[in-house]
Amino acid sequence: MLVKERVRSLNRRRFESEEVEPAHPLRWRQRVLTVRVLSGHDWLVASGLVAQHDTVTCKSKFEVDLRPILEVRELCVAYGARGGGVWRALSGVSFGVGAGEILAVLGESGSGKTTLAGSLLRLLPRNARITGGEILLDGADVVRMSGVDLRRVRGSGISIVFQEPSLALHPTIRVGEQIGEVLRAHGTWSRRERVEGTRKMLAKVFSGDVERIYSSYPHELSGGQQQRVLIAQAIACEPALVVADEPTASLDTTTQREILTLFKRLRDELGIAFIFITHNPALLAGFADRVLVLYAGKVAEVGPTHEVLRSPQHPYTQALLKCVPPVDSDGAAGRKSLLPVIGGVPPSLAAPSQGCVFEPRCQDRMETCQVCEPAAAVLGGGHEVACLKFPA
């Protein structure tokens, strides 16, 4: 019996709950309850939704998390160069994502953000390979999955929203049919059910005009509408996790905010977790739950969004946030000022680095930074920083 039916039989108070069980042999479940009235751990045990020994953590007023849905452990990715060399795009990246969480991945161009996104679904170029680490999706290692299991988990367990919708959407197929293909690949839907399911997904991401959108070709839609179609594709099978690779990069400011609001609403309604990749820290305040800062393929800092933005501890995070253009509160016309820049150049990923990768550009560098690689230091409250200024 579904979670929704079991709880309704025990308690008639109004609530909402979600259970997602994709049709693949791993049979993992996204276990998130969005409950209007929380009655405590004993009530959850009595309802059969959790075991007596399960630890239940309340993330917010309406959410209950039972365990993380994604754990990345010491992930390493390398690209093979034409001359026979190797470019180390990711080195020892570790983090986790809880159910219903929005994790932002922040970094400048070349930091490894897009490589990380592709690695989570094993959608990497031919010259790239995962050289180490684990990607555990509800306990199942994506790195070691067979091709058959990968095809089943992509879309139904984890999905992706690509950066450029005009390239991700097929130009000669109507968008409704493209969303329907996702449903056809992950279930035994009849044609009528696929059409109804597609319209339902479009209604979740568009406020109206669903029929016109359904019958349109990609070139007949604006950039923001195309991006919403990609989001509808990504959530069509209600996966536990959606990776959004800079989905707002090519959109204007107003549309960017609309897309962020849409992500938060989908999280609240469906319990979907998001990994939001961006180079713009101005988008994260009030949106992401946590921020992970990448530099040269390594995690520099990770922590709650309000702490990282308000009080960054890593010198790279501090320098990155200083590069954000300030808002001119005086509104003075003609005022010009130079934006701060991070001096130096990023390190070469072709040569193994010794010491801290940010040391040549760091304003706070010490002698030990040239020879010692910093380990993650725990600052408390889920805030970690990889810097030798803090004892690990």
Side-chain angles (χ1 to χ4, degrees):
M1 187 182 296
L2 294 176
V3 171
K4 186 177 296 185
E5 297 171 353
R6 294 173 64 182
V7 180
R8 276 180 176 166
S9 65
L10 293 168
N11 194 329
R12 293 187 177 279
R13 282 175 290 186
R14 186 181 179 187
F15 68 93
E16 293 177 358
S17 64
E18 296 291 338
E19 177 179 290
V20 181
E21 184 176 0
H24 64 82
L26 301 176
R27 299 187 66 80
W28 67 271
R29 292 188 180 186
Q30 173 195 357
R31 299 190 294 172
V32 182
L33 304 181
T34 305
V35 185
R36 295 296 184 189
V37 180
L38 298 180
S39 304
H41 183 265
D42 293 338
W43 179 83
L44 292 173
V45 172
S47 67
L49 298 177
V50 300
Q52 182 69 45
H53 60 273
D54 280 344
T55 300
V56 180
T57 302
C58 294
K59 287 183 58 183
S60 66
K61 183 178 179 181
F62 298 126
E63 295 180 7
V64 178
D65 279 359
L66 302 183
R67 61 174 172 173
I69 56 174
L70 179 73
E71 293 181 80
V72 178
R73 301 175 181 174
E74 298 295 327
L75 179 63
C76 299
V77 179
Y79 289 86
R82 292 182 179 180
V86 175
W87 295 77
R88 295 168 178 82
L90 294 178
S91 300
V93 174
S94 299
F95 64 93
V97 180
E101 180 183 20
I102 298 179
L103 172 68
V105 178
L106 177 66
E108 60 187 335
S109 298
S111 61
K113 304 187 302 296
T114 297
T115 297
L116 176 60
S119 300
L120 297 180
L121 290 88
R122 278 178 54 187
L123 292 174
L124 293 171
R126 292 184 178 180
N127 65 328
R129 63 189 182 94
I130 299 175
T131 59
E134 298 176 315
I135 303 172
L136 303 179
L137 184 63
D138 201 67
D141 193 356
V142 176
V143 176
R144 293 167 178 80
M145 282 185 183
S146 65
V148 174
D149 287 341
L150 269 178
R151 285 191 292 272
R152 288 173 176 170
V153 78
R154 290 171 183 160
S156 62
I158 180 173
S159 59
I160 187 169
V161 178
F162 293 102
Q163 177 176 351
E164 185 51 63
S166 61
L167 299 178
L169 294 171
H170 198 291
T172 63
I173 301 178
R174 300 180 191 274
V175 298
E177 297 178 22
Q178 298 189 50
I179 298 173
E181 283 296 302
V182 178
L183 299 176
R184 187 175 68 87
H186 295 284
T188 57
W189 299 63
S190 66
R191 178 174 178 80
R192 177 177 295 179
E193 290 172 335
R194 291 200 303 271
V195 171
E196 293 177 354
T198 299
R199 288 182 173 136
K200 178 181 176 181
M201 289 300 112
L202 288 174
K204 289 182 180 296
V205 299
F206 287 96
S207 58
D209 212 8
V210 171
E211 290 301 323
R212 183 187 69 82
I213 301 294
Y214 178 91
S215 303
S216 298
Y217 291 98
H219 69 271
E220 297 175 322
L221 304 177
S222 66
Q225 290 174 329
Q226 291 179 2
Q227 195 62 268
R228 288 173 182 265
V229 170
L230 283 187
I231 295 172
Q233 271 190 322
I235 68 170
C237 295
E238 297 188 12
L241 176 65
V242 172
V243 182
D245 185 12
E246 301 212 39
T248 62
S250 60
L251 304 177
D252 60 81
T253 304
T254 301
T255 308
Q256 285 180 353
R257 288 298 174 185
E258 292 176 354
I259 295 298
L260 297 183
T261 302
L262 174 60
F263 281 144
K264 292 187 69 174
R265 180 166 59 81
L266 292 175
R267 187 268 300 270
D268 295 339
E269 293 180 358
L270 304 178
I272 297 176
F274 288 92
I275 295 179
F276 182 81
I277 295 174
T278 183
H279 63 271
N280 185 3
L283 299 176
L284 304 182
F287 169 67
D289 299 309
R290 290 190 300 135
V291 178
L292 183 147
V293 182
L294 272 182
Y295 178 75
K298 297 184 178 182
V299 177
E301 186 170 358
V302 60
T305 302
H306 66 279
E307 290 189 13
V308 174
L309 297 183
R310 181 183 58 187
S311 180
Q313 298 300 311
H314 196 282
Y316 171 67
T317 311
Q318 296 171 356
L320 189 65
L321 295 180
K322 289 179 181 178
C323 297
V324 178
V327 177
D328 187 0
S329 58
D330 297 333
R335 179 179 299 175
K336 296 182 179 180
S337 61
L338 294 177
L339 290 175
V341 296
I342 303 177
V345 294
S348 172
L349 301 179
S353 61
Q354 184 179 10
C356 176
V357 292
F358 189 62
E359 183 271 334
R361 310 173 71 185
C362 183
Q363 300 294 324
D364 303 329
R365 58 180 175 268
M366 304 175 292
E367 291 185 2
T368 55
C369 298
Q370 299 181 4
V371 294
C372 297
E373 182 175 354
V378 179
L379 306 182
H383 197 167
E384 299 181 9
V385 57
C387 181
L388 294 175
K389 296 189 301 181
F390 304 91

